[in-house]
Amino acid sequence: MFAPFILQLRKAGLPVSLTEWLALMGAMKAGVAGYSIEDFYFLARATLVKDERHLDRFDRVFGEVFKGIEGSPDGLDPMALPEEWLKKLIEKNLTEEEKALVEALGGFEKLMETLKQRLEEQKGRHQGGNKWIGTGGTSPFGAHGYNPEGVRIGQEESRHRRATKVWDKREFKDLADDVALGTRNMKLALRRLRRFARQGEATELDLGGTIKGTAAKGGMLDLHMLPERRNAVKVLLLLDIGGSMDDYIRQSEELFTAASSEFKHLRHYYFHNCLYERVWTQNRRRQQNMVGTDELLRRYGPDWKLIFVGDASMSPYEITAPGGSVEHWNEESGIVWMRRLTSHFRRVAWLNPLRQDHWRYTQSIGLMSELVEGKMYPLTLQGIDGMARELLK
Amino acid sequence: MFKTGKDYIATRELEVAVNAAVALSRPLLVKGEPGTGKTVLAQEIARSLDAPLIEWHIKSTTKAQQGLYEYDAVSRLRDGQLGEERVHDIRNYIRRGKLWEAFTHEKRAVLLIDEIDKADIEFPNDLLLELDRMEFHVYETGETIRATQRPIVIITSNNEKELPDAFLRRCFFHFIRFPERETMEQIVQAHYPDIRKDLAREALNVFFQIREVGELKKKPATSELLDWLKLLMIEDMPAEALRTQDAKVAIPPLYGALLKNEQDVHLFERLAFLNRARR
């Protein structure tokens, strides 16, 4: 009777194998769980789940298989959103400046009134068009729209990269570093960035030294030790996340996986579009995990190699003008911060997942490339290779 | 059967996981926030099953081989030069590791492999066969050490490194969640049965408030709370001292036991200052 359970688990992406399945059967036979469904749940979880990140998924599958509870629908029906809730959500997430901005666009009340009116007129889910709330239109309401002053309602990723303010706090997944396939080549390319040095405690037998020392002492054993050889290169990785980078998440993940297993000294932070006065240590819950960019300058010496990963595709104002950020009010422009970083760190490079032959169509890429003194490389094997050579010069 | 003891409060899910590991003699991998009682768990299992506890604490330089045995070639060489008698028997230079000890113990032992993620990334892989079959070969003497009674293996990890799949497949897994308030009260009660009720209540209030502050580098956990309570009891702190000090307004007394990081203390001072200014 449990066979569908394991199949469902595998379908949900949990790496359950036969070994674990047999272990569960063995434990059942040994009477660990008794006859309580709760104990069986605990037992199954201890046997089949090996990572706390999978616990939630396991719970859902368990519920589905054993209680017949249906999974929640993946997309939110726009009609199902109560207007009160929408209003609260938007109010909560607006800063004073943003509210002033809304005022300039005809007032918050008016916007909400129109929204309410349209919600009433609208029947069912809507896609495309320029008036209805739904997905993919140019109306100021709804998701995936073109209207630059639009109110975004509860979608997970933006499809067009034009909105002037992103209002819903998006929660992206942290870059998972468990993408093992396809990273081998990248690891090999990154391996160029190695510079070995003997540091730390002497734990290895220095054979040459020992023989020499023993001979010098006339045959009495004289041991010499030396520290292990380690990769002494330090890498600071700054990753662009969200917005226009959504299409390149897989590539970035691969790079990240490769890098994190290749370097002992690797620190990474996230930023959005352009670098300003702060970065995030974790992509999720960015509001809580902010670190000042000046902190980076203090914490990491000029010998760290700084690598940006991002598509550098944005409105040029986001780089050049104070207040150009799409997410907050930045006192100093992106240029100022980029200059600070590039003058502090001796070696800086930028990896761009966008195809190189498309770079010239976006003005901001040229700007960024200039800011890193032309050290912008495509996120391909050759690109990484070129970057590694440059960084070690 | 492992059961919640007098001094250690285990949730039912933890009991089931431990019992499964004991029944099938497979390693139990325990993860969770630092300070939620991962290491203490092994001690508690040993006590409740009346089994000897063998602890192997892992460091970044620990090699898997050290857990099995080490052959001390250097001291044998030295003895050879000095003409010692014991040099003729190689067994004199084989030092037993913790796994060997656990395998050959006359009683079924509890083996704690503490903080396995501290070691090199290949470390768990090197122990796969040994933990699976509970036997290993000693090349120097040509003997095979086999577990007479399979020990109960408890492995803890702080998530600093990912563990290999092949290793995980052979383990049971339990993630110790941070205890709810109710469980926490039981834990406090179990450790300090004669603590004043009002003091415990106020201290828990402050403690959970602190945990709610999102930006803390290291959130205080159970072990910190217990240390703090002990200090409060030694100082004979009146409960009012805690009550007036809403954690958002002032730093709690004896905060050193709760906040382990000068940045967290600064953060707290700043928050307290802001809150006072707002009043």
Side-chain angles (χ1 to χ4, degrees), chain A residues 11 58-59 110 124 148 229 231 251 308 358 371 377 383:
Chain A
K11 223 162 113 192
F58 174 82
D59 286 355
K110 190 157 174 272
R229 246 159 56 103
N231 191 359
Q251 258 171 301
F308 293 95
H358 290 186
L371 282 173
Y377 299 88

Short mmCIF file of all heavy atoms in Angstrom, two decimals, chain A residues 11 58-59 110 124 148 229 231 251 308 358 371 377 383:
data_model
loop_
_atom_site.label_atom_id
_atom_site.label_comp_id
_atom_site.label_asym_id
_atom_site.label_seq_id
_atom_site.Cartn_x
_atom_site.Cartn_y
_atom_site.Cartn_z
N LYS A 11 8.41 11.92 -7.29
CA LYS A 11 7.85 12.86 -8.24
C LYS A 11 7.98 14.29 -7.72
O LYS A 11 8.18 15.23 -8.48
CB LYS A 11 6.39 12.53 -8.49
CG LYS A 11 6.00 12.63 -9.96
CD LYS A 11 4.71 11.88 -10.21
CE LYS A 11 3.60 12.79 -10.59
NZ LYS A 11 2.30 12.11 -10.54
N PHE A 58 8.09 17.07 1.90
CA PHE A 58 7.71 15.75 2.40
C PHE A 58 6.33 15.83 3.06
O PHE A 58 5.46 14.99 2.83
CB PHE A 58 8.75 15.25 3.39
CG PHE A 58 8.36 13.97 4.06
CD1 PHE A 58 8.57 12.76 3.43
CD2 PHE A 58 7.78 13.97 5.32
CE1 PHE A 58 8.21 11.57 4.03
CE2 PHE A 58 7.41 12.79 5.92
CZ PHE A 58 7.63 11.59 5.28
N ASP A 59 6.16 16.85 3.89
CA ASP A 59 4.89 17.01 4.61
C ASP A 59 3.73 17.09 3.63
O ASP A 59 2.67 16.49 3.85
CB ASP A 59 4.90 18.27 5.47
CG ASP A 59 5.77 18.09 6.69
OD1 ASP A 59 6.26 16.96 6.88
OD2 ASP A 59 5.97 19.07 7.43
N LYS A 110 -7.34 57.13 -5.86
CA LYS A 110 -7.89 57.03 -7.21
C LYS A 110 -7.47 55.72 -7.86
O LYS A 110 -8.26 55.01 -8.48
CB LYS A 110 -7.40 58.22 -8.04
CG LYS A 110 -8.11 58.34 -9.38
CD LYS A 110 -8.03 59.77 -9.90
CE LYS A 110 -8.60 59.85 -11.30
NZ LYS A 110 -7.61 59.59 -12.35
N GLY A 124 -13.68 36.57 -14.29
CA GLY A 124 -12.76 35.48 -14.60
C GLY A 124 -11.33 35.94 -14.81
O GLY A 124 -11.03 37.13 -14.77
N PRO A 148 4.78 51.18 -17.05
CA PRO A 148 5.89 51.40 -16.13
C PRO A 148 5.45 51.85 -14.75
O PRO A 148 6.17 51.65 -13.78
CB PRO A 148 6.73 52.47 -16.82
CG PRO A 148 5.82 53.10 -17.81
CD PRO A 148 4.80 52.08 -18.19
N ARG A 229 49.73 22.30 1.63
CA ARG A 229 49.56 23.25 0.54
C ARG A 229 48.08 23.56 0.37
O ARG A 229 47.27 22.64 0.26
CB ARG A 229 50.07 22.63 -0.75
CG ARG A 229 51.29 23.29 -1.33
CD ARG A 229 51.99 22.33 -2.25
NE ARG A 229 51.07 21.86 -3.30
CZ ARG A 229 51.08 22.30 -4.56
NH1 ARG A 229 51.94 23.22 -4.90
NH2 ARG A 229 50.27 21.82 -5.46
N ASN A 231 45.04 26.28 -1.43
CA ASN A 231 44.75 27.35 -2.38
C ASN A 231 44.55 28.65 -1.60
O ASN A 231 43.65 28.76 -0.79
CB ASN A 231 43.49 27.02 -3.17
CG ASN A 231 43.30 27.94 -4.33
OD1 ASN A 231 44.11 28.84 -4.54
ND2 ASN A 231 42.26 27.71 -5.10
N GLN A 251 22.48 29.18 -14.80
CA GLN A 251 23.89 29.42 -15.07
C GLN A 251 24.61 29.93 -13.82
O GLN A 251 25.71 29.48 -13.51
CB GLN A 251 24.02 30.47 -16.17
CG GLN A 251 24.33 29.89 -17.53
CD GLN A 251 24.21 30.97 -18.57
OE1 GLN A 251 23.15 31.56 -18.73
NE2 GLN A 251 25.29 31.26 -19.26
N PHE A 308 31.97 40.18 -10.09
CA PHE A 308 30.54 40.46 -10.19
C PHE A 308 29.92 39.43 -11.12
O PHE A 308 30.54 39.04 -12.11
CB PHE A 308 30.28 41.84 -10.80
CG PHE A 308 30.71 42.98 -9.95
CD1 PHE A 308 31.95 43.58 -10.12
CD2 PHE A 308 29.86 43.47 -8.97
CE1 PHE A 308 32.33 44.64 -9.33
CE2 PHE A 308 30.24 44.54 -8.18
CZ PHE A 308 31.48 45.12 -8.36
N HIS A 358 25.17 40.29 -27.95
CA HIS A 358 24.01 41.15 -27.67
C HIS A 358 24.35 42.33 -26.77
O HIS A 358 23.52 43.17 -26.51
CB HIS A 358 22.91 40.32 -26.98
CG HIS A 358 22.26 39.33 -27.91
ND1 HIS A 358 21.18 38.58 -27.55
CD2 HIS A 358 22.57 39.00 -29.18
CE1 HIS A 358 20.85 37.79 -28.56
NE2 HIS A 358 21.67 38.03 -29.57
N LEU A 371 33.15 50.79 -16.28
CA LEU A 371 33.42 50.95 -14.85
C LEU A 371 34.37 49.87 -14.33
O LEU A 371 35.09 50.07 -13.37
CB LEU A 371 32.12 50.91 -14.05
CG LEU A 371 31.32 52.22 -14.10
CD1 LEU A 371 29.97 52.04 -13.44
CD2 LEU A 371 32.09 53.33 -13.43
N TYR A 377 33.40 39.68 -18.89
CA TYR A 377 33.53 38.44 -19.65
C TYR A 377 32.19 37.74 -19.71
O TYR A 377 31.39 37.83 -18.76
CB TYR A 377 34.55 37.52 -18.97
CG TYR A 377 35.92 38.13 -18.89
CD1 TYR A 377 36.27 38.93 -17.80
CD2 TYR A 377 36.84 37.95 -19.90
CE1 TYR A 377 37.53 39.53 -17.73
CE2 TYR A 377 38.09 38.54 -19.84
CZ TYR A 377 38.43 39.33 -18.75
OH TYR A 377 39.66 39.92 -18.70
N GLY A 383 34.88 32.42 -21.25
CA GLY A 383 34.80 33.66 -20.48
C GLY A 383 35.44 33.50 -19.12
O GLY A 383 36.25 34.32 -18.69
#
